[in-house]
C-alpha cells in the first residue's frame, strides 16, 4: 500500500526566505511522487513529478524537490519565497501496481510574511 | 489544449435531495478520478473510472456513485444528500497510468442546507 505524510499543516516564511515543505512516503514498490499547489477556490495544479528519472526534479514557479530513497522523502523547496507562493500544497504518491490511484497527503498551508 | 471542465461550479441543495456533477476530461485522457475535499477531512478519494469501468473505489457509502461515458466524460451522483456532504468535489483526468499526473478541474462547490 502507498501513503504520504506531510509534516507541518501550517508553515510560515518571510518573503525572500527559503521554503521547505516536508513529505515522507510509504510504498511497497518504487513510487511515483508528485507535488501539487491549490489556490483558494481552485483545483490542484501540478508543480512537479518524480517518475524514476533524475532524483532532483525541477518544477514550475522555481520549486524543486529531491527524491531520497534512503529517507523515503520527497521534500519541496524554493530558494526565495514570493507573496504569490501563499497557498495549500499537497504531496501525492502513486505506483505501478495501483493503476491510477493517487494517495494524497493532508496538505501544508504556506503563509508568506511580507 | 482545454483543461478539465467541471459543471456546475456552485450548487445549493437541501437534505434528502440528489445531485449530479459533471466532469469533462482533457482530450485523450481515459481516466477520471473524483475527490471530496473538506476542511476537516482533507482530500478524500471517491472513485476512478477508466474506459467506462470503475477501476478503483474509495471508502464512501453507496449514496455516492459515478459513471463514465464512451467519450470519457464522467458524472458523479450523490443521493439522499446529508449536511456532511457539503464539500468541494474535484475531478481529475489523466492518461491512466500511475506515472502520469492527474490534472484537476476547479471543482464543484456543493452546499447542503
Amino acid at each position: 500500500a502507498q501513503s504520504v505524510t506531510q509534516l507541518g499543516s501550517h508553515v510560515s516564511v518571510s518573503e525572500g526566505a527559503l521554503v521547505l515543505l516536508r513529505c515522507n512516503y510509504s510504498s511497497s514498490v518504487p513510487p511515483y511522487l508528485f507535488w501539487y499547489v491549490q489556490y483558494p477556490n481552485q483545483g490542484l495544479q501540478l508543480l512537479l513529478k518524480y517518475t524514476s528519472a533524475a532524483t532532483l526534479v525541477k518544477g514550475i514557479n522555481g520549486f524543486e524537490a529531491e527524491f531520497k530513497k534512503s529517507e523515503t522523502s520527497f521534500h519541496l523547496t524554493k530558494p526565495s519565497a514570493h507573496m504569490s507562493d501563499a497557498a495549500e500544497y499537497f504531496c501525492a504518491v502513486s505506483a505501478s501496481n495501483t493503476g491510477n490511484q493517487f494517495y494524497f497527503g493532508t496538505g501544508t498551508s504556506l503563509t508568506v510574511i511580507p | 489544449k482545454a483543461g478539465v471542465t467541471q459543471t456546475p461550479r456552485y450548487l445549493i441543495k437541501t437534505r434528502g435531495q440528489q445531485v449530479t456533477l459533471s466532469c469533462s476530461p482533457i482530450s485523450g485522457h481515459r481516466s477520471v478520478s473524483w475527490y471530496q475535499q473538506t476542511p476537516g477531512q482533507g482530500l478524500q478519494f471517491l472513485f476512478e473510472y477508466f474506459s467506462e469501468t470503475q477501476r478503483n473505489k474509495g471508502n464512501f457509502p453507496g449514496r455516492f456513485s459515478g459513471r463514465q461515458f464512451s467519450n470519457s466524460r464522467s458524472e458523479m451522483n450523490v443521493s439522499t444528500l446529508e449536511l456532511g456532504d457539503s464539500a468541494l468535489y474535484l475531478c481529475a483526468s489523466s492518461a491512466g497510468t500511475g506515472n502520469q499526473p492527474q490534472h484537476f478541474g476547479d471543482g464543484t462547490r456543493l452546499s447542503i442546507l
Side-chain angles (χ1 to χ4, degrees):
Chain A
Q2 283 75 36
S3 67
V4 292
T5 301
Q6 292 184 240
L7 299 175
S9 58
H10 298 277
V11 171
S12 293
V13 299
S14 298
E15 191 175 14
L18 172 72
V19 176
L20 171 60
L21 304 182
R22 300 177 186 274
C23 173
N24 288 88
Y25 70 90
S26 173
S27 179
S28 55
V29 297
Y32 305 124
L33 295 159
F34 306 83
W35 273 100
Y36 286 85
V37 61
Q38 184 180 33
Y39 298 100
N41 295 317
Q42 292 185 23
L44 279 66
Q45 178 184 358
L46 179 69
L47 278 175
L48 49 80
K49 64 178 182 179
Y50 166 78
T51 56
S52 76
T55 56
L56 182 62
V57 181
K58 294 187 183 300
I60 63 171
N61 301 340
F63 285 94
E64 62 181 36
E66 186 172 8
F67 173 71
K68 291 187 177 181
K69 184 178 178 180
S70 61
E71 299 177 9
T72 61
S73 69
F74 190 58
H75 302 331
L76 182 71
T77 61
K78 181 174 180 178
S80 177
H82 294 169
M83 296 298 294
S84 60
D85 294 328
E88 188 89 13
Y89 291 81
F90 292 90
C91 181
V93 63
S94 70
S96 59
N97 66 345
T98 65
N100 195 45
Q101 184 161 356
F102 276 43
Y103 298 85
F104 283 86
T106 52
T108 297
S109 177
L110 176 66
T111 300
V112 181
I113 304 166
Chain B
K1 202 173 190 180
V4 178
T5 303
Q6 290 188 247
T7 57
R9 284 297 313 277
Y10 302 93
L11 208 49
I12 300 175
K13 293 287 187 179
T14 57
R15 282 182 300 173
Q17 287 186 309
Q18 73 166 18
V19 67
T20 299
L21 312 182
S22 179
C23 174
S24 293
I26 290 173
S27 178
H29 284 183
R30 296 165 63 190
S31 169
V32 173
S33 298
W34 289 90
Y35 296 86
Q36 181 194 67
Q37 187 177 29
T38 59
Q41 298 296 321
L43 201 62
Q44 293 188 285
F45 172 72
L46 282 154
F47 31 67
E48 182 222 0
Y49 285 85
F50 182 81
S51 294
E52 302 179 65
T53 300
Q54 188 179 85
R55 184 164 67 171
N56 289 299
K57 187 178 187 303
N59 189 28
F60 275 79
R63 300 187 297 107
F64 292 82
S65 63
R67 59 178 175 168
Q68 187 179 34
F69 302 95
S70 58
N71 62 357
S72 293
R73 189 177 71 86
S74 178
E75 289 182 346
M76 189 191 87
N77 184 274
V78 187
S79 62
T80 318
L81 287 165
E82 301 176 358
L83 291 177
D85 297 333
S86 293
L88 180 66
Y89 290 88
L90 293 166
C91 164
S93 77
S94 81
T97 55
N99 63 343
Q100 295 300 312
Q102 295 189 351
H103 299 269
F104 284 78
D106 283 338
T108 294
R109 173 76 63 185
L110 176 62
S111 299
I112 311 302
L113 303 180

